[in-house]
Amino acid sequence: MRKVTVMDPCVGRVLVSEPFLMDSYFKRTVILLGEHGEDGTVGFILNKPTDLTLNDALEDFPPFDAPLYFGGPVQTDTIHFLHTLGKKLEGSKEIIPGIYWGGSLETLKLLIETRQVDKDEIRFFAGYSGWEPEQLDDEMKGRTWLISNGKKDFAFSDSPEELWGEVLRSMGSQYAILANFPENPSLN
């Protein structure tokens, strides 16, 4: 049997909600961390697509039929994006190999207008998930979250509704059993 190691939260890791978390925002979520430090933590829920597209949310944006995801309950009137464009977008921050957060919005608009960006290279989020300094550490002590290394396949999953279980299974057999845990055990 493989030894279970406990990971600490840091940039590029994913938080996986434990199966008993019933919070309406975070139930069965996978959150990619973009910042974690003494000023707090910022991440994006990877598996909560909305019924909106980017152009539904941003009127002054070039036509781009990309889905909009719910990034978290903080500042839901802001748009954030993860991408694989790298340094094409000045000011972007690499958070896992090949996955970047943010960058110049004006440059992004130009790249979209000139058809240099494909929908599969970028993911947009309304809002973000945020924790005050030490708040996430307290939640970790309460076993609200499991932690795994982030992967490009997680950030750009084609099946967001299956991502929570997929990440748990990728963590090894001791976590794979949780992936099959019913959402509501009282209905079993």
Side-chain angles (χ1 to χ4, degrees):
M1 179 187 275
R2 192 166 65 175
K3 182 181 176 187
V4 177
T5 58
V6 177
M7 294 184 180
D8 290 324
C10 68
V11 172
R13 295 227 167 113
V14 291
L15 301 179
V16 184
S17 63
E18 60 85 17
F20 300 106
L21 182 64
M22 294 298 155
D23 181 279
S24 62
Y25 292 120
F26 299 114
K27 180 179 180 180
R28 299 209 173 202
T29 57
V30 176
I31 301 173
L32 179 61
L33 298 181
E35 287 182 3
H36 180 72
E38 60 186 43
D39 294 331
T41 305
V42 172
F44 304 98
I45 299 174
L46 300 176
N47 59 332
K48 284 204 173 188
T50 70
D51 293 332
L52 302 173
T53 67
L54 176 66
N55 291 117
D56 292 331
L58 294 178
E59 294 175 10
D60 64 338
F61 210 80
F64 194 64
D65 189 31
L68 183 64
Y69 282 70
F70 175 71
V74 181
Q75 294 185 354
T76 56
D77 60 342
T78 62
I79 301 292
H80 303 268
F81 50 96
L82 297 173
H83 58 87
T84 60
L85 303 171
K87 298 304 177 185
K88 283 185 185 178
L89 286 180
E90 181 180 309
S92 64
K93 173 185 173 183
E94 189 172 32
I95 55 177
I96 57 176
I99 301 293
Y100 298 79
W101 169 26
S104 168
L105 192 58
E106 293 309 311
T107 301
L108 178 59
K109 287 179 181 180
L110 179 63
L111 291 172
I112 288 172
E113 287 173 345
T114 58
R115 293 183 169 82
Q116 295 181 57
V117 178
D118 186 71
K119 289 188 303 188
D120 296 336
E121 297 176 293
I122 194 160
R123 184 137 307 165
F124 294 93
F125 300 89
Y128 65 91
S129 300
W131 292 264
E132 296 292 325
E134 299 183 33
Q135 181 183 3
L136 181 56
D137 295 326
D138 290 342
E139 290 182 18
M140 295 300 301
K141 290 174 189 166
R143 298 179 190 231
T144 302
W145 303 102
L146 302 168
I147 299 178
S148 181
N149 287 315
K151 296 179 183 176
K152 183 178 179 181
D153 292 347
F154 296 164
F156 288 88
S157 174
D158 291 332
S159 303
E161 65 283 349
E162 297 173 18
L163 185 60
W164 182 79
E166 179 185 332
V167 174
L168 285 170
R169 284 187 289 279
S170 77
M171 293 169 65
S173 60
Q174 65 272 23
Y175 296 105
I177 194 166
L178 296 175
N180 297 321
F181 196 81
E183 280 195 52
N184 187 343
S186 66
L187 297 179
N188 272 359

